[in-house]
Amino acid sequence: YTDTLARYNPLTGVLQKNFNIRYDLSAYPMNNAVWCVLLGIHPIVQSKVVMSVINMLMINLLIYQIGKSFFRGDEKKADLMVLFVCLMQLFSFSIYCKIKSIQTKEEGKALLANISIPAALLVSIRLWLNKDGRNKESWVLLFIAAVSALAFSGSSLIYPAVVSTAILPVMVLKKKLSYA
């Protein structure tokens, strides 16, 4: 309504005297606001319907790629893995439940847990299975996941530990110091 980002308090509508660093550095709500203006749709529809579908598609595509890498290209096993993980997530407290909640501040954490951390796992699996160690796509994916994790949530400060947990075992077992 004000055509500004993060200058007005969303709860009271009062102009803020200064930026709230904790929330203003999270780009997820800002991304929703920009798409709402560009597409001319209501913020609730954008945040709870459109982005929910996009996020679930992204998560399932990532799980499919993990299954495909883990099962060495067997697409039927990867399909079954996606189905199993979808069923598991439907009956547990996961992003499917969090996206339905009204608290948008938790969506960033759900995306961090359901997209960025599995992306690090995918890179770890691909590096482990790669014979020559020249898998540029994996390193690009890890870079994109790290940069996008910053936009999901302030909790992305744990992502260097996640990357270390994913890369260090491969580095030690393959004796490739260049992975560092």
Side-chain angles (χ1 to χ4, degrees):
Y1 296 111
T2 61
D3 200 24
T4 60
L5 295 175
R7 288 299 299 142
Y8 289 85
N9 185 329
L11 301 174
T12 63
V14 176
L15 180 66
Q16 297 186 96
K17 293 179 182 170
N18 51 18
F19 285 107
N20 186 349
I21 294 296
R22 182 174 176 201
Y23 297 111
D24 291 342
L25 293 180
S26 177
Y28 192 77
M30 301 305 148
N31 176 49
N32 283 339
V34 169
W35 281 110
C36 288
V37 171
L38 290 176
L39 298 176
I41 59 177
H42 195 275
I44 295 292
V45 174
Q46 163 64 18
S47 179
K48 301 301 172 194
V49 177
V50 175
M51 287 306 292
S52 298
V53 170
I54 291 171
N55 292 338
M56 285 187 215
L57 286 173
M58 290 286 297
I59 291 165
N60 288 323
L61 286 171
L62 185 59
I63 291 169
Y64 178 76
Q65 288 299 318
I66 289 172
K68 204 168 160 188
S69 295
F70 188 68
F71 296 118
R72 297 179 190 250
D74 190 347
E75 293 177 357
K76 288 185 179 183
K77 288 182 181 177
D79 293 341
L80 288 173
M81 181 178 166
V82 171
L83 182 64
F84 174 73
V85 171
C86 283
L87 287 173
M88 191 171 62
Q89 285 187 339
L90 283 173
F91 295 107
S92 66
F93 190 72
S94 66
I95 190 168
Y96 294 94
C97 297
K98 287 192 175 198
I99 285 178
K100 291 178 185 174
S101 73
I102 299 300
Q103 299 175 350
T104 58
K105 63 183 178 182
E106 290 186 13
E107 286 179 9
K109 290 178 185 68
L111 290 175
L112 181 66
N114 286 294
I115 293 179
S116 298
I117 293 173
L121 174 65
L122 175 61
V123 169
S124 181
I125 292 170
R126 285 185 175 176
L127 290 175
W128 174 255
L129 296 175
N130 193 8
K131 302 279 187 234
D132 59 0
R134 296 179 188 189
N135 195 347
K136 289 184 181 178
E137 294 100 22
S138 295
W139 293 109
V140 170
L141 173 65
L142 188 62
F143 176 76
I144 291 170
V147 171
S148 62
L150 294 171
F152 289 153
S153 172
S155 300
S156 64
L157 295 174
I158 67 160
Y159 205 68
V162 170
V163 170
S164 299
T165 305
I167 300 301
L168 281 176
V170 177
M171 186 175 75
V172 169
L173 292 172
K174 284 197 162 201
K175 297 176 182 157
K176 294 245 182 199
L177 202 56
S178 62
Y179 285 174

